[in-house]
Amino acid sequence: DAGVIQSPRHEVTEMGQEVTLRCKPISGHNSLFWYRQTMMRGLELLIYFNNNVPIDDSGMPEDRFSAKMPNASFSTLKIQPSEPRDSAVYFCASSFTFHEQFFGPGTRLTVL
Amino acid sequence: GDSVTQMEGPVTLSEEAFLTINCTYTATGYPSLFWYVQYPGEGLQLLLKATKADDKGSNKGFEATYRKETTSFHLEKGSVQVSDSAVYFCALIGVAGGTSYGKLTFGQGTILTVHP
């Protein structure tokens, strides 16, 4: 099993640019979670999906952030336009509903 | 709502010392409890879990017992190694209902540094 796959692993972009982060969950898992981790705010849940349907997006910081899950094997988190305060490590995790989550390696985003 | 409280860190120990990281929780019913570990530059990994009262989760020499009466899930290891240096997160999944589809509620994390 390849585990949760995230791409890219590192992204450096300039303020105002669009950023798209990608996640492939573990095959067979039906829940997917997007997190953001910073030194100041710790680990924050941004949004999560169950059976490809967004359940709770209350953690999404503002309208510049959007997430989609078009099918069971792929999800994206998009930031448009990006700002320096969006710099963080973004994690994707997947699970069977109500079971432990498996985390991807993360995408380190730097917005200059 | 559900919440998890971990002991304040950071924790600094010498190799072979005994480790305890306290974790208490607030939740309705019988949540599932977890400890995750994050090594530098990596994602979170599940360290151990317990799904019902009095269960003991164990892995890599770490242990934690689900104590319903004290709503606690303290992490212990008898002899830590330098390689155990990491951030440790206590977490729970609450019972079904509402918008809880297995969302993890995390503690704030405890930084552990082990010196040779």
Side-chain angles (χ1 to χ4, degrees):
Chain A
D1 191 339
V4 176
I5 298 172
Q6 292 187 246
S7 64
R9 294 293 310 277
H10 302 273
E11 177 80 26
V12 180
T13 191
E14 294 187 345
M15 183 174 62
Q17 297 299 305
E18 178 179 295
V19 175
T20 300
L21 311 182
R22 297 172 175 82
C23 176
K24 177 178 170 57
I26 292 172
S27 177
H29 282 183
N30 62 348
S31 293
L32 184 140
F33 305 80
W34 282 102
Y35 294 88
R36 178 173 69 176
Q37 188 176 40
T38 62
M39 289 293 292
M40 291 295 294
R41 301 175 67 92
L43 191 64
E44 304 173 275
L45 176 65
L46 300 178
I47 184 171
Y48 68 103
F49 298 82
N50 184 259
N51 293 325
N52 311 337
V53 176
I55 301 300
D56 184 354
D57 65 354
S58 60
M60 297 286 260
E62 47 198 274
D63 292 345
R64 298 184 297 106
F65 285 69
S66 62
K68 294 181 179 179
M69 192 165 186
N71 57 62
S73 59
F74 184 66
S75 177
T76 59
L77 177 68
K78 185 176 294 187
I79 309 172
Q80 167 62 19
S82 58
E83 296 183 2
R85 60 192 168 123
D86 301 330
S87 297
V89 181
Y90 291 81
F91 290 105
C92 175
S94 72
S95 73
F96 292 114
T97 309
F98 292 108
H99 288 75
E100 63 268 26
Q101 293 178 23
F102 293 83
F103 283 73
T107 295
R108 182 173 296 276
L109 173 64
T110 302
V111 183
L112 303 175
Chain B
D2 298 343
S3 67
V4 176
T5 303
Q6 289 181 233
M7 65 183 289
E8 294 287 330
V11 175
T12 302
L13 296 173
S14 296
E15 206 165 26
E16 299 184 4
F18 184 85
L19 168 70
T20 299
I21 301 177
N22 290 337
C23 171
T24 57
Y25 67 89
T26 301
T28 56
Y30 289 84
S32 295
L33 303 175
F34 306 88
W35 277 100
Y36 280 84
V37 59
Q38 185 178 28
Y39 298 103
E42 299 184 11
L44 279 71
Q45 302 174 26
L46 179 66
L47 180 60
L48 53 84
K49 67 177 182 180
T51 57
K52 59 182 187 294
D54 300 325
D55 266 2
K56 177 185 284 187
S58 61
N59 186 26
K60 299 181 181 180
F62 291 89
E63 294 182 339
T65 301
Y66 189 141
R67 300 290 187 197
K68 180 68 174 175
E69 63 277 12
T70 55
T71 62
S72 65
F73 193 54
H74 305 321
L75 183 68
E76 297 182 336
K77 186 175 186 183
S79 177
V80 293
Q81 305 301 311
V82 172
S83 57
D84 294 326
S85 298
V87 182
Y88 292 81
F89 294 90
C90 185
L92 68 82
I93 291 178
V95 297
T99 58
S100 174
Y101 283 76
K103 182 179 76 170
L104 274 169
T105 299
F106 282 98
Q108 70 269 37
T110 301
I111 300 172
L112 171 66
T113 303
V114 180
H115 293 297

